[in-house]
Amino acid sequence: ACRWWNPRLLLDSEGPGTARLFLWRGPRPCSGQVSVFEADITAPSLLRFSLDLSAGVLNVTFSEAMDVATIVPSQITLQSDSVANGTTQSVQLTGGVVVSATDAKSASIVLVASDLNNIKLLDGLATTSGNTYLIHTSGFGRDFFNLSITAISSSNGLLADNFEPDRVSPSLVAFSLDMNNNQIVLTFSEVVRV
């Protein structure tokens, strides 16, 4: 006789589409339908992030595997304080290229040049780990069960876990000379102080 009892399909977060079927032991295998299915109802969250201004990369780590196709960098804002106030400096990202790790629980976002320049223009934002906080909307991404990530509000910013300042010197990439107006226009690889 078949003596397998209460088969349960339990989902875990070891990767996309991962599920395990657990059965109590019996004398011979049983076939049949799973009697209890427990769907994932826990929204994912952002656990930590790091910012490398030299490489222009923002690294993020999630509480579970994320569907990388749903990650939207423009839903991220970097701000200078944990709790936004009248003097808080901030830059909302406009885009970026998302590269996922194999386990889909972390990703790297290669920042677009304009966002990187906007961050570097501000004296009080992302100059140390102490003034580098991240907030995001629930539209930042979804897990493999289509659950939206829990938002981080501007009144509870997440402090950078690791921070690498800009160590790359700017370079002159082009110039033009206007003899009629007595002007020379210099173009640099990134924003510079004048």
Side-chain angles (χ1 to χ4, degrees):
C2 177
R3 292 188 184 174
W4 293 80
W5 301 102
N6 290 328
R8 295 170 67 88
L9 181 64
L10 302 177
L11 303 175
D12 64 23
S13 59
E14 292 192 10
T18 302
R20 295 181 184 169
L21 180 63
F22 292 94
L23 300 170
W24 275 267
R25 298 189 80 170
R28 65 180 177 83
C30 294
S31 62
Q33 195 172 349
V34 172
S35 64
V36 177
F37 175 79
E38 295 180 15
D40 180 8
I41 58 169
T42 305
S45 60
L46 180 64
L47 297 180
R48 58 187 169 275
F49 81 99
S50 64
L51 179 62
D52 185 338
L53 288 178
S54 291
V57 174
L58 179 74
N59 297 299
V60 290
T61 302
F62 303 101
S63 59
E64 61 179 276
M66 297 289 286
D67 181 354
V68 69
T70 69
I71 294 177
V72 183
S74 62
Q75 299 300 303
I76 293 174
T77 298
L78 295 175
Q79 65 183 37
S80 58
D81 301 294
S82 172
V83 178
N85 57 62
T87 61
T88 298
Q89 296 182 341
S90 65
V91 170
Q92 181 174 353
L93 302 185
T94 60
V97 177
V98 181
V99 181
S100 176
T102 1
D103 65 359
K105 289 177 76 172
S106 59
S108 295
I109 300 169
V110 181
L111 302 177
V112 297
S114 58
D115 290 342
L116 205 49
N117 282 332
N118 286 336
I119 293 166
K120 292 176 182 180
L121 276 172
L122 299 175
D123 289 331
L125 173 66
T127 56
T128 69
S129 57
N131 63 6
T132 307
Y133 292 84
L134 184 149
I135 64 172
H136 65 77
T137 70
S138 59
F140 176 38
R142 296 189 304 274
D143 68 10
F144 287 95
F145 291 92
N146 207 33
L147 295 172
S148 295
I149 193 166
T150 302
I152 298 177
S153 74
S154 61
S155 61
N156 191 28
L158 180 64
L159 181 64
D161 185 56
N162 194 21
F163 174 79
E164 180 65 31
D166 181 12
R167 299 184 192 281
V168 179
S169 298
S171 58
L172 179 65
V173 294
F175 76 94
S176 62
L177 180 63
D178 183 345
M179 295 299 288
N180 292 324
N181 294 311
N182 297 321
Q183 282 186 338
I184 185 168
V185 177
L186 307 174
T187 304
F188 296 93
S189 58
E190 61 177 284
V191 291
V192 294
R193 297 186 184 279
V194 293

